[in-house]
């Protein structure tokens, strides 16, 4: 009985691989785009322009205060009413990128704020331009604070990508959902789905922990 | 464009949204209590010296943190009947949220307990306190203070995560929005309204987190 189910499951490995591939592609694209956008927003948020900072803050709060599932539904069902036709893949990428950008924006802003003001003043006194200041003085120091939670955020992003299965994308979670209709063994099917996510996420979790320990130590030295 | 955005339909559906909101609130509250129980047990296991209790607790926490809640929810939803437990969707949902959030809460409590300076524990050992006295009189009251703001942050995450229960057709807030969206073909009205309700819950809990961290004099909650 269980052996037959195993065989049947083994038969659906191309579907499983496609699902895993979709999960990885979705996560990777939105991870890169979200990081770039998040850094940009984070720098603008701490840039001194009150209005801009307020608008970004309000948007970030809006995104952090609503469930990701609701955000996906909003993007997928409402943008077409504005004449923007979306397929599920694009809608998923937009939703995930936006989510990642908002969380990363706050992480980056916290990192930038953690850099002592004396450093910025010294850079000003040395006649560095705004861009040079950011690139050569502030960001390298902020990275110590930013890096561990950034990696942690990537794990959350990969996990959140499972929610896009709700608009019909065949990612890893959706594959589990499809397979369980044919092979009615939820324990086995979703155990395997879990293993798939674990293989992708766990190395990142370990990396985040390691960075935290290392950066924590480095931070301690600076404080001395 | 949204020129025919219908507030009238939203008002018409308000009782449904109200029911959904109430369900979301109490099922989240119940799940949070469940998660606290799971978290405390896991944390107690994790703080033991021997590996016998520690290893399973660690494995569980890692497994939960490295897999999506939706997959865990489906695991229980499709898996429990297999084990002979045919439970209502609502119960499966509360179980999933408790088991998921519990793993995160275990780590929050652990961080709180580990933040107590070693000297405090040594001093209480030197004063001849028993393990229970030490925990009750010295460690836990202080750990409590550090733990409250992140716990409220976790509560916010839990409320938002509860939206996923709509996917196994629990009649909570998101489900109410879906019903309006599909009955009347009015996705904008449905999803904008529930987003507003979730924001309301978010700001309530966030306000509570800010207030509590001010009262307790600790750093703000990270949500």
């Amino acid at each position: 009985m269980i052996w037959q189910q195993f065989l049947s499951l083994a038969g659906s490995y191309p579907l499983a691989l496609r699902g895993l591939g979709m999960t990885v592609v979705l996560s990777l694209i939105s991870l890169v785009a979200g990081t770039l956008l998040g850094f940009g927003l984070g720098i603008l948020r701490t840039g001194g322009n009150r209005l801009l900072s307020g608008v970004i803050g309000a948007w970030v709060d809006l995104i952090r205060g609503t469930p990701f599932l609701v955000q996906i539904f909003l993007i997928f069902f409402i943008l077409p009413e504005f004449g923007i036709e979306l397929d599920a893949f694009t809608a998923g990428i937009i939703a995930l990128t936006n989510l990642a950008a908002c969380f990363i924006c706050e992480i980056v802003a916290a990192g930038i704020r953690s850099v002592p003001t004396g450093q910025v003043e010294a850079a000003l006194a040395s006649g560095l331009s705004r861009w040079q200041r950011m690139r050569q003085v502030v960001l390298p120091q902020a990275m110590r604070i930013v890096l561990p939670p950034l990696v942690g955020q990537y794990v959350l992003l990969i996990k959140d990508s499972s929610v896009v299965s709700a608009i019909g994308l065949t990612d890893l979670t959706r594959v589990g959902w499809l397979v369980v209709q044919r092979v009615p063994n939820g324990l086995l099917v979703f155990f395997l789905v879990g293993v798939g996510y674990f293989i992708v996420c766990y190395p990142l979790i370990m990396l985040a922990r390691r960075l935290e320990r290392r950066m924590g130590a480095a931070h301690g030295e600076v404080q001395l | 464009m949204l020129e025919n955005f219908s507030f009238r339909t939203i008002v018409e559906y308000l009782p449904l949204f109200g029911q959904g909101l109430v369900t979301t609130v109490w099922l989240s509250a119940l799940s949070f209590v469940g998660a606290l129980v799971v978290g405390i047990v896991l944390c107690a296991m994790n703080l033991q010296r021997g590996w016998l209790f520690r290893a399973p607790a660690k494995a569980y926490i890692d497994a939960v943190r490295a897999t999506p809640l939706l997959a865990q929810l489906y695991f229980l939803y499709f898996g429990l009947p297999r084990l002979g437990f045919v439970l209502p969707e609502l119960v499966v949902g509360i179980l999933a949220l408790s088991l998921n959030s519990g793993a995160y809460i275990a780590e929050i409590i652990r961080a709180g307990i580990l933040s107590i300076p070693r000297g405090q524990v040594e001093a209480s050992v030197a004063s001849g306190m028993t393990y229970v006295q030490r925990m009750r009189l010295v460690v836990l009251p202080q750990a409590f203070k550090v733990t409250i703001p992140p716990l409220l942050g976790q509560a916010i995450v839990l409320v938002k995560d509860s939206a996923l229960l709509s996917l196994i057709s629990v009649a909570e807030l998101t489900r109410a929005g879906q019903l309006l969206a599909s009955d009347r073909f009015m996705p904008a009205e449905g999803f904008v309204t529930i987003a507003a309700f979730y924001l309301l819950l978010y700001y309530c809990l966030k306000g509570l987190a800010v207030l509590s961290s001010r009262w307790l004099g600790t750093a703000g909650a990270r949500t």
Side-chain angles (χ1 to χ4, degrees):
Chain A
M1 180 65 183
I2 191 117
W3 180 240
Q4 276 174 338
Q5 284 181 342
F6 252 119
L7 285 181
S8 174
L9 276 180
S12 46
Y13 84 93
L15 186 65
L17 280 185
R18 230 184 71 199
L20 188 61
M22 175 62 94
T23 290
V24 170
V25 167
L26 267 175
S27 310
L28 217 58
I29 294 178
S30 45
L31 184 151
V32 173
T35 305
L36 292 176
L37 203 60
F39 267 84
L41 288 175
I43 290 170
L44 286 178
R45 179 120 162 83
T46 49
N49 185 332
R50 279 268 176 89
L51 181 71
L52 203 58
S53 174
V55 170
I56 295 173
W59 181 250
V60 168
D61 243 22
L62 221 61
I63 295 306
R64 298 216 296 187
T66 48
F68 184 53
L69 180 65
V70 175
Q71 292 165 24
I72 288 182
F73 283 150
L74 275 169
I75 289 171
F76 189 55
F77 291 112
I78 295 189
L79 282 188
E81 299 210 23
F82 289 96
I84 306 166
E85 285 305 325
L86 287 178
D87 55 307
F89 184 76
T90 320
I93 293 279
I94 292 175
L96 278 169
T97 301
N98 177 41
L99 182 79
C102 283
F103 278 90
I104 290 172
C105 164
E106 289 300 278
I107 293 172
V108 171
I112 290 176
R113 286 193 196 108
S114 76
V115 176
T117 42
Q119 297 274 337
V120 182
E121 284 160 8
L124 264 174
S126 326
L128 294 184
S129 73
R130 217 178 121 78
W131 169 240
Q132 282 177 319
R133 223 152 64 215
M134 204 27 104
R135 199 171 58 89
Q136 295 177 352
V137 179
V138 178
L139 280 185
Q141 298 186 66
M143 282 318 278
R144 288 190 164 171
I145 308 286
V146 169
L147 218 46
L150 189 66
V151 176
Q153 192 56 47
Y154 291 158
V155 178
L156 288 182
L157 185 71
I158 296 169
K159 291 194 289 175
D160 279 334
S161 78
S162 68
V163 178
V164 283
S165 63
I167 53 172
L169 270 182
T170 318
D171 74 329
L172 192 51
T173 305
R174 181 81 180 168
V175 165
W177 194 87
L178 290 171
V179 169
V180 88
Q181 319 286 335
R182 268 192 297 139
V183 186
N185 189 339
L187 285 178
L188 191 59
V189 171
F190 280 99
F191 175 76
L192 293 175
V193 168
V195 169
Y197 280 105
F198 191 85
I199 291 170
V200 181
C201 290
Y202 194 62
L204 280 176
I205 292 181
M206 287 205 293
L207 177 66
R209 279 183 195 155
R210 212 150 131 208
L211 284 173
E212 215 161 300
R213 234 174 292 141
R214 244 192 35 210
M215 301 284 172
H219 193 57
E221 280 165 24
V222 171
Q223 277 180 333
L224 282 175
Chain B
M1 286 299 268
L2 295 170
E3 59 271 336
N4 37 16
F5 190 89
S6 165
F7 284 103
R8 187 178 294 170
T9 320
I10 292 177
V11 173
E12 198 183 313
Y13 268 76
L14 266 188
L16 186 68
F17 284 124
Q19 277 172 18
L21 181 67
V22 170
T23 309
T24 287
V25 169
W26 75 255
L27 86 79
S28 300
L30 211 58
S31 304
F32 192 68
V33 173
L36 275 178
V37 174
V38 173
I40 289 169
V41 170
L42 279 175
C43 180
M45 286 168 74
N46 209 353
L47 288 174
Q48 301 301 315
R49 282 235 179 74
W51 58 270
L52 190 63
F53 288 104
R54 262 175 73 172
K58 276 203 154 68
Y60 177 84
I61 291 171
D62 277 345
V64 168
R65 289 166 74 104
T67 51
L69 172 61
L70 186 57
Q72 294 160 13
L73 184 65
Y74 283 152
F75 178 73
L76 292 178
Y77 183 63
F78 292 109
L80 283 178
R82 183 88 197 155
L83 295 174
F85 300 103
V86 182
L87 302 170
E89 288 88 358
L90 186 67
V91 180
V92 176
I94 291 174
L95 207 60
L97 284 175
S98 303
L99 290 173
N100 175 273
S101 234
Y104 292 88
I105 287 178
E107 292 291 276
I108 292 174
I109 299 176
R110 196 169 80 106
I113 290 177
L114 291 183
S115 75
I116 309 301
R118 262 208 83 67
Q120 301 254 345
V121 182
E122 282 160 7
S124 58
V125 172
S127 332
M129 287 187 179
T130 65
Y131 179 80
V132 175
Q133 280 178 322
R134 219 153 67 214
M135 272 292 170
R136 195 168 61 85
L137 297 170
V138 180
V139 176
L140 288 184
Q142 298 186 74
F144 187 70
K145 209 172 133 172
V146 191
T147 309
I148 292 295
L151 273 185
L152 283 167
Q154 185 59 37
I156 292 177
V157 172
L158 194 151
V159 169
K160 290 194 292 168
D161 279 347
S162 75
L164 290 183
L165 303 200
S166 66
L167 296 178
I168 56 167
S169 56
V170 173
E172 41 70 84
L173 191 49
T174 307
R175 188 74 185 158
Q178 280 179 327
L179 285 179
L180 169 52
S182 58
D183 286 358
R184 299 286 183 90
F185 304 107
M186 288 179 172
E189 285 78 353
F191 295 126
V192 168
T193 312
I194 50 175
F197 276 119
Y198 278 112
L199 277 179
L200 183 76
L201 292 175
Y202 169 71
Y203 282 116
C204 289
L205 283 169
K206 201 183 167 190
L208 213 58
V210 171
L211 277 180
S212 74
S213 61
R214 206 170 294 159
W215 283 332
L216 299 166
T218 47
R222 282 200 55 208
T223 52

